[in-house]
Amino acid sequence: MDLACGQNKQEGFYGIDICKCPVVDKVWDLEKRPWPLKANSVDEAHASHYIEHTRDFFGFLDELYRVLKVGAKATLIAPYMLSRRAWQDPTHTRAICEQSFLYGNKEWREVNKLSHYPVSCDYDFCFGYNMTPEWASKSHEAIQFALKHYWDVANDIVVTLTKRG
């Protein structure tokens, strides 16, 4: 399933988008829940440059969790919080960072006494970055330092969520 695929649907995926485009399989506003998909029916999901637009981040995580099969993965790509791209588009509602996805892990919410937050999904996650050309060939140590101290080192954050059982 490719969420908010627009005209760039991933090959082999079922595309959902709010706008009708030739590659869109289902026209649907992802802010409207539940999505027109059965629970535990999706093997793999992809969403590129959507989560920074959603008005309900927790609702998105929970609805994605509902439709994914246990063990299924979702790849989410968004402008990294320290990239000008995260802030240039006035339709962006939030900046996305590594820690944004901690809230999708049930154990982390419990340990941090956040069980009262309006989110119930349970994901493991890992992340990486799409680097700017100037930084792509630098050493790992240089990149790690730069990600914490400079703007425009990474264009995007690429997160893989895995649905826990």
Side-chain angles (χ1 to χ4, degrees), residues 13-58:
F13 280 66
Y14 180 81
I16 301 175
D17 198 276
I18 195 170
C19 296
K20 180 63 181 154
C21 299
V23 299
V24 171
D25 299 297
K26 178 70 175 176
V27 175
W28 189 264
D29 180 354
L30 293 171
E31 296 295 312
K32 182 180 173 190
R33 299 185 184 96
W35 298 337
L37 298 163
K38 292 180 182 178
N40 304 303
S41 65
V42 175
D43 293 314
E44 183 180 3
H46 182 267
S48 181
H49 295 274
Y50 171 73
I51 59 173
E52 67 276 13
H53 294 273
T54 185
R55 294 180 302 277
D56 183 1
F57 186 73
F58 289 157

Side-chain angles (χ1 to χ4, degrees), residues 3-163:
L3 299 166
C5 65
Q7 298 182 55
N8 300 306
K9 183 175 76 170
Q10 298 294 294
E11 187 173 331
F13 280 66
Y14 180 81
I16 301 175
D17 198 276
I18 195 170
C19 296
K20 180 63 181 154
C21 299
V23 299
V24 171
D25 299 297
K26 178 70 175 176
V27 175
W28 189 264
D29 180 354
L30 293 171
E31 296 295 312
K32 182 180 173 190
R33 299 185 184 96
W35 298 337
L37 298 163
K38 292 180 182 178
N40 304 303
S41 65
V42 175
D43 293 314
E44 183 180 3
H46 182 267
S48 181
H49 295 274
Y50 171 73
I51 59 173
E52 67 276 13
H53 294 273
T54 185
R55 294 180 302 277
D56 183 1
F57 186 73
F58 289 157
F60 173 82
L61 290 180
D62 277 346
E63 186 62 7
L64 181 61
Y65 187 81
R66 182 186 73 79
V67 301
L68 287 173
K69 294 178 179 178
V70 173
K73 297 185 183 310
T75 301
L76 309 177
I77 303 168
Y80 185 56
M81 70 172 187
L82 292 179
S83 167
R84 293 182 206 317
R85 297 171 70 228
W87 302 102
Q88 75 184 21
D89 185 337
T91 67
H92 290 179
T93 62
R94 73 191 75 254
I96 304 296
C97 69
E98 302 84 352
Q99 293 79 12
S100 298
F101 298 92
L102 290 170
Y103 296 85
N105 180 273
K106 183 179 178 182
E107 181 180 353
W108 185 87
R109 289 191 309 270
E110 289 171 354
V111 166
N112 288 280
K113 298 182 176 23
L114 299 174
S115 297
H116 62 285
Y117 272 36
V119 62
S120 59
C121 58
D122 191 16
Y123 294 106
D124 287 323
F125 74 96
C126 60
F127 57 87
Y129 309 93
N130 290 332
M131 304 303 294
T132 61
E134 301 81 16
W135 284 95
S137 62
K138 304 282 185 188
S139 72
H140 177 75
E141 294 79 17
I143 289 171
Q144 292 307 303
F145 179 85
L147 284 168
K148 291 180 182 179
H149 295 78
Y150 305 141
W151 280 77
D152 295 322
V153 174
N155 284 327
D156 301 318
I157 185 166
V158 180
V159 178
T160 301
L161 302 175
T162 304
K163 180 178 176 174

